[in-house]
Amino acid sequence: VQLQASGGGLVHPGGSLKLSCVASGNIFNIAGMGWFRQAPGQEREFVASISNGGRTNYVDSVKGRFAISRDNSKKTVALQTNSLKPEDTAVYYCNAEIMNWAGYQSDYWGQGTLVTVSS
C-alpha cells in the first residue's frame, strides 16, 4: 500500500492551495483519512480528518479556512486550504487507515508535500 501526496508549493499570505493524496496497492477498505503537518522544529500535528461516512474534524486553527474531502471510488483524500497564513507553513502528510484483502488493518502515511506561505 502506498499513499502519494501532491499539491504543495509556495503561496502568498491569503492564497489557496489544494492538496491531494491517492492510495494504491492491496486495499480492501479505507476507514479514516486525514492530514497532518509538521513545521520546522516542531512536532507533527493533526490538521483534519474525514471518516468513511464523511464526518469531518479539524484542528481549531484551520476551522473555516480548510476543507477536507474524499472520493472513495478513487481512493483519494483532498485538503482545500484557503486564507493561508505564514504559520500554516509546514510539510503536510496524508494518512489513512487501510485494510488489505487479508483483513489486516494498518495506518499508512504519504511522503509529505511542502506548503510555504510567504510574501
Side-chain angles (χ1 to χ4, degrees), residues 26-94:
N26 181 2
I27 298 172
F28 172 73
N29 182 62
I30 303 177
M33 304 185 83
W35 290 90
F36 290 71
R37 65 187 179 185
Q38 187 167 19
Q42 297 187 23
E43 294 187 353
R44 190 174 298 188
E45 68 166 352
F46 167 80
V47 176
S49 66
I50 184 167
S51 71
N52 199 353
R55 181 181 303 172
T56 60
N57 191 29
Y58 298 92
V59 67
D60 285 347
S61 60
V62 308
K63 285 180 180 177
R65 300 189 298 122
F66 291 11
I68 189 170
S69 61
R70 64 187 285 172
D71 185 328
N72 291 330
S73 66
K74 296 181 179 179
K75 300 182 180 64
T76 60
V77 61
L79 185 69
Q80 178 66 47
T81 66
N82 301 319
S83 303
L84 283 163
K85 305 175 182 180
E87 52 263 42
D88 294 317
T89 295
V91 177
Y92 284 70
Y93 297 90
C94 58

